[in-house]
Each structure stands twice: as structure tokens, then as C-alpha cells.
Amino acid sequence: MDFDISSIEDFTKGVITYAWIIIPILLQALLYYFIGRFLIRVIIDTITKIFSKYEIEASLSIFLLSFLRVVLYVVLILAVASTLGFPITSFLAILGAAGLAVGLALQGSLSNFAGGVLILIFKPFKVGETIEAQGTLGSVEKIDILYTTVRNFDNKVVVIPNGGLANNSITNLSAKPTRRVEMNLGVAYGTDLKKTRQVIIDTLQKDERVLEDPAPVVYFTNFGDSSLDLTVRAWANAADLWPVYWDNMEAIKEAFEANDIEVPFPQRDVNHYFPEGNPAISLNNNQKED
């Protein structure tokens, strides 16, 4: 079998020429890849330390780091592909169109995601605290990136989208260590208010859960239809709020009874007018005539 030596030499020269062209490009791509991996590792480690320093919520930290890692590796792969001569313009256009379509389809989820990020960063409430939001009052059991789980006081679990939580008012009932206990009472007209006030204060001071500072106060607030209305304000630790309220309402009621302080009930005076005179007088007159 005859071989064309000149053809083999041409092929060899072509391979060598192509190798001299492609090898530097491959080496450049590999260099970019390893440098990019190193930079990604440095960036992720730096951001991890920042999250740890500022005590970013663990679930948010994990999610953001994973998301950032994916984005950085996509950028690195595109850079390496561009170095190798692959056309990435069309790929970027397709990726942008797909991202727009997904964004439109997941508007609600993206809103919840943004709300979750804001909640986990700014921490208007934490797990274990009691909040009132979106018509729900209860204890926060879990904060996810999309939803917050709240258990209300009759043991129902309510899952609230974070988008609504982040864009509406939230009342955090556990943010402060102390809470004010407020009781509205009524006593009968004619009651000695100074005596009543002292009886209430003495009753509250017997409860060790009632704080001395700020001291309990009793205000006369209104002339009611059937009573003199009083507002009682005392302070207690947040965890003792309702026990202090319930126990002292009963204790004040017993103290009123012991000190002959009347708690009135609604009363009405009814006057009946007879335009033709008093029927009793008319009846007596008729009897005399007979």
C-alpha cells in the first residue's frame, strides 16, 4: 500500500499548527477556571464570616450562600466558554427570556421570597415570640424563606406568606420584657373613691408579680350610666401578663366585697305619665259617687 509522504507531512504540520493555536486557549481557559474557583471560595468564605458576625438567620444564610455560589459558578462557566470561543450571546438571550418567564409565573413566590429575606435580615420578630399580624395572634414557630408558621392560642397552626407580613404592620407582643396590665372597673355612685383606690392598690401590691416600678395607678375616667368608671394600670413581666390580669380581677372583686364597695349593675327609672289624670284618683272618685 502506497502512502503519500507529502500528505502525511501536511497533516502533521496542520495538527501542530492547530495545537499551537488551541493549547494556549485551553491553558488560558483552565487558568481562568482555577482562578475563578479560588475567587469564589474566597468570596463565599468572606460572606460567611460577615453573616456569622452579624448573626444572620441560619436558614437565610444557607439559602443566600447557595444562591450566590450558583450565580458565581454560572458566571465562571460563561467566562470559560467565551474564552474557548463558544457563542454565549444567544445563550444569554435564552437565559434572560427564561428568567423573565419564570419571574412572571412566580410573582407571588418572589414577593414571599423578598419578604422572607427582609424579615430574616431586619428581624421584626423571632421564633418563640408572640405576634399579631394578618388577623392572627399567636406564637411564631418557624420562619422559612417563603412562609412564617404561627401557632395561635387555641393550638391552630397558621401559615402566613412572608410577602404579606413584610408589607403590613406587625405587632410584636414579646419584644419588650414587661407589659402593662389594664383593668376597667366600675363602682356605684356615692362610693368613696379614695377608699376604693387604696383598696385596689393594696390588693395589687400583695401580688409579687406586679412590678413596683412603674407603680400601679388607679384613675377615675368616666361618669357611666350606672357607675363611676375606673381604669387600673399595673406593670408585669410579659410572661405574667394574663395570669396577673385574671388573678387580680378576682382578688379586687373579693376586696370590694370585704370593704362593702358596691359594683353596680345597669338600672333604669321608669316614669309613667297619664294625660287624663291619676287612674287611682279617678277610681276613688267613681267609688264615692256610687
Side-chain angles (χ1 to χ4, degrees):
M1 187 174 182
D2 296 331
F3 292 96
D4 189 346
I5 301 299
S6 61
S7 297
I8 294 175
E9 291 177 350
D10 292 339
F11 176 76
T12 303
K13 290 179 181 179
V15 169
I16 293 173
T17 302
Y18 183 76
W20 278 109
I21 296 173
I22 195 64
I23 287 175
I25 296 175
L26 289 173
L27 291 175
Q28 185 180 7
L30 288 173
L31 181 63
Y32 284 173
Y33 174 74
F34 287 110
I35 292 176
R37 284 190 58 183
F38 173 76
L39 291 176
I40 290 173
R41 190 180 302 112
V42 171
I43 293 172
I44 295 298
D45 290 344
T46 302
I47 295 178
T48 301
K49 292 177 181 178
I50 292 174
F51 284 173
S52 177
K53 178 179 178 181
Y54 290 98
E55 298 180 352
I56 301 299
E57 201 71 35
S59 56
L60 176 61
S61 176
I62 293 171
F63 178 84
L64 291 179
L65 289 173
S66 300
F67 180 76
L68 180 61
R69 185 179 288 106
V70 170
V71 171
L72 291 175
Y73 270 105
V74 168
V75 172
L76 176 60
I77 291 171
L78 291 177
V80 172
S82 176
T83 302
L84 294 174
F86 290 100
I88 62 171
T89 304
S90 300
F91 176 76
L92 290 176
I94 295 172
L95 187 64
L100 178 61
V102 171
L104 292 175
L106 300 176
Q107 285 184 6
S109 296
L110 291 176
S111 173
N112 292 336
F113 167 75
V117 171
L118 292 175
I119 289 171
L120 291 170
I121 289 177
F122 294 105
K123 298 179 181 179
F125 55 85
K126 300 177 183 177
V127 172
E129 293 184 337
T130 301
I131 65 169
E132 184 176 5
Q134 302 286 37
T136 298
L137 173 63
S139 176
V140 179
E141 286 198 333
K142 185 169 59 173
I143 304 174
D144 290 327
I145 200 68
L146 296 178
Y147 301 97
T148 294
T149 303
V150 176
R151 179 174 56 83
N152 61 22
F153 295 116
D154 55 357
N155 213 31
K156 295 178 182 177
V157 175
V158 182
V159 180
I160 306 175
N162 286 335
L165 279 178
N167 293 318
N168 292 280
S169 61
I170 301 170
T171 302
N172 189 334
L173 304 179
S174 302
K176 299 297 182 180
T178 60
R179 294 275 306 279
R180 189 179 72 186
V181 183
E182 184 166 313
M183 294 173 278
N184 296 311
L185 308 173
V187 295
Y189 276 91
T191 301
D192 186 343
L193 291 182
K194 291 183 178 180
K195 175 185 176 181
T196 303
R197 180 178 289 109
Q198 191 60 49
V199 168
I200 295 173
I201 294 296
D202 291 343
T203 303
L204 292 173
Q205 289 177 342
K206 294 177 183 178
D207 190 340
E208 296 180 353
R209 297 167 299 181
V210 176
L211 301 179
E212 296 180 359
D213 186 20
V217 294
V218 180
Y219 295 111
F220 170 53
T221 54
N222 186 45
F223 291 94
D225 292 337
S226 304
S227 64
L228 300 174
D229 296 335
L230 306 174
T231 297
V232 181
R233 291 176 177 173
W235 287 83
N237 292 326
D240 296 329
L241 174 70
W242 289 112
V244 167
Y245 177 86
W246 293 320
D247 293 346
N248 281 282
M249 284 291 286
E250 184 174 344
I252 290 172
K253 184 258 185 187
E254 294 174 354
F256 279 1
E257 292 175 349
N259 289 273
D260 297 325
I261 298 174
E262 181 183 353
V263 177
F265 52 87
Q267 302 180 44
R268 293 289 185 273
D269 292 333
V270 179
N271 298 304
H272 194 173
Y273 294 94
F274 299 93
E276 296 179 357
N278 191 323
I281 296 176
S282 300
L283 179 61
N284 292 331
N285 292 333
N286 291 334
Q287 289 176 344
K288 291 178 180 180
E289 291 175 0
D290 292 341

